Amino acid sequence: MSEDEQAAIVAAQRLGDPYLVWRDMHERRRVLSLRDGWERVTVGRGSCADVSLPWDSEVSRVHVELVRIGDDWAADDDGLSRNGTFINEERIERRRRLLDGDSLRVGGTVISFHAPYQAADETVVGEPIDPASSGP
């Protein structure tokens, strides 16, 4: 990893915001910090994509969208991509929450998702409420 690549990753980590890391067609690491201004990020082969992967012929022009939902990010594959989107090598259908360290694969390109301060909260399933026992 070059000094510039390392510096970009360290800078993204210091900000504390979620960020993406992938390799371009020259095998250089690229970093995109998902600061507060980002609500939606497109990934695709098209030049208008926020993460443009024009060298990867297995990637659709608009392959997948990453969408901010509250404090979290989700990958949203609406089925338009011909080859599908994979998170940790599992093909996703529709929308799936991204977790720190997830590997997102589109075509032959792997994009890693990092969220340094992501809350690791699991929702606790409560006991069902019996409507008959909750009278006045």
Side-chain angles (χ1 to χ4, degrees):
M1 179 180 331
S2 76
E3 287 183 31
D4 288 343
E5 293 168 336
Q6 183 65 30
I9 291 171
V10 168
Q13 290 170 337
R14 282 188 184 144
L15 288 172
D17 295 318
Y19 62 96
L20 306 172
V21 179
W22 71 98
R23 291 186 181 273
D24 67 15
M25 63 198 242
H26 302 292
E27 291 298 313
R28 292 183 300 239
R29 282 192 177 91
R30 297 292 178 200
V31 178
L32 176 63
S33 180
L34 302 174
R35 300 186 68 155
D36 287 338
W38 290 98
E39 294 298 321
R40 187 174 304 276
V41 174
T42 56
V43 177
R45 199 180 65 228
S47 61
C48 291
D50 299 309
V51 176
S52 183
L53 310 169
W55 64 89
D56 192 336
S57 61
E58 295 177 18
V59 174
S60 298
R61 285 186 300 271
V62 177
H63 198 99
V64 66
E65 248 183 347
L66 305 183
V67 182
R68 183 189 299 270
I69 302 172
D71 290 333
D72 293 317
W73 283 87
D76 192 358
D77 185 334
D78 59 7
L80 292 177
S81 66
R82 186 169 276 180
N83 292 318
T85 301
F86 297 80
I87 297 179
N88 303 326
E89 292 307 317
E90 179 184 332
R91 187 175 184 142
I92 65 168
E93 305 289 330
R94 300 187 190 246
R95 185 185 288 180
R96 178 145 159 214
R97 181 178 177 209
L98 292 170
L99 301 174
D100 181 42
D102 275 349
S103 174
L104 180 71
R105 183 170 59 80
V106 294
T109 302
V110 176
I111 302 168
S112 59
F113 173 80
H114 302 274
Y117 298 110
Q118 185 175 49
D121 58 345
E122 291 286 328
T123 302
V124 176
V125 178
E127 294 293 320
I129 298 173
D130 181 5
S133 66
S134 62

